[in-house]
């Protein structure tokens, strides 16, 4: 059974490096800017902390969950603003977590399972090829649980 989001958030606060919470107004402004709504996991996370460094502080953190103000389309995060077109990946993929070296964990807002967005590997050298940029987790809470449980980088790649 999956760990509850509230227990995961308590662990983030206790053992990691969370940023101050986002206000409801900041969440509203974010949703207006990007054109999609946070799912329940993401909303709970951002109301608890507007981003976080997990495991270690920067520059050594293997996971930096981005503040709302830094979430952009995957193709912009990976290739830059001048490449914000469908040739550089789908518009529905958004960079939500920086895993260093130009790689990201992405949220796919075009799909939902049980009201949650799935997460995908945003491996910059192969993006947007799905053969090399596969699933990471079925939800943000599953992703967070796996990171906190394994406490190592890129758990979905077996590293």
């Amino acid at each position: 059974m999956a760990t509850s989001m509230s227990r995961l958030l308590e662990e983030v606060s206790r053992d990691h490096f969370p940023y101050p919470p986002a206000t409801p107004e900041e969440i509203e402004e974010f949703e207006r800017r990007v054109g999609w709504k946070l799912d329940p996991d993401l909303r709970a996370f951002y109301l608890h902390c507007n981003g976080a460094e997990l495991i270690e502080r920067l520059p050594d953190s293997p996971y930096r969950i981005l503040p709302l103000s830094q979430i952009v389309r995957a193709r912009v995060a990976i290739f830059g603003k001048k490449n914000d077109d469908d040739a550089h990946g789908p518009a529905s993929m958004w960079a939500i977590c920086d895993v260093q070296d130009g790689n990201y964990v992405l949220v796919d807002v075009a799909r939902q399972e049980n009201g949650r967005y799935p997460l995908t590997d945003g491996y910059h050298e192969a993006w947007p090829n799905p053969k090399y940029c596969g699933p990471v987790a079925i939800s943000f809470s599953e992703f967070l649980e796996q990171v906190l449980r394994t406490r190592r980088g890129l758990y979905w790649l077996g590293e």
Side-chain angles (χ1 to χ4, degrees):
M1 182 179 122
T3 305
S4 78
M5 194 64 183
S6 60
R7 283 202 325 227
L8 293 170
L9 294 174
E10 286 171 21
E11 186 176 341
V12 168
S13 287
R14 185 181 62 245
D15 300 334
H16 301 273
F17 310 97
Y19 303 156
T23 64
E25 295 77 22
E26 287 172 312
I27 289 175
E28 210 174 281
E29 151 49 36
F30 166 79
E31 291 176 338
R32 218 179 2 262
R33 175 175 66 87
V34 297
W36 51 273
K37 300 268 187 215
L38 296 174
D39 70 19
D41 289 351
L42 291 167
R43 182 171 301 279
F45 179 84
Y46 283 102
L47 285 170
H48 184 82
C49 55
N50 189 2
E53 296 161 26
L54 302 179
I55 305 168
E56 295 183 51
R57 284 207 172 275
L58 288 175
D60 299 319
S61 176
Y63 300 98
R64 179 175 176 250
I65 301 172
L66 299 172
L68 292 172
S69 64
Q70 294 179 20
I71 294 174
V72 295
R73 281 195 174 92
R75 60 200 190 192
V76 171
I78 293 168
F79 297 118
K81 283 184 183 177
K82 68 183 184 314
N83 295 302
D84 191 5
D85 58 57
D86 290 344
H88 292 92
S92 64
M93 301 293 269
W94 293 78
I96 197 154
C97 180
D98 183 347
V99 292
Q100 311 308 322
D101 296 329
N103 299 312
Y104 294 87
V105 173
L106 313 174
V107 61
D108 183 357
V109 301
R111 301 185 306 129
Q112 282 194 357
E113 189 170 312
N114 298 319
R116 305 301 194 270
Y117 300 121
L119 279 71
T120 299
D121 186 2
Y123 176 50
H124 78 280
E125 291 177 359
W127 179 254
N129 187 335
K131 180 178 176 184
Y132 300 103
C133 298
V136 169
I138 60 168
S139 67
F140 182 75
S141 57
E142 181 189 67
F143 166 71
L144 192 55
E145 182 178 11
Q146 290 295 325
V147 168
L148 300 181
R149 185 183 320 139
T150 61
R151 294 186 71 86
R152 61 184 167 81
L154 309 186
Y155 70 84
W156 61 93
L157 300 179
E159 291 183 358

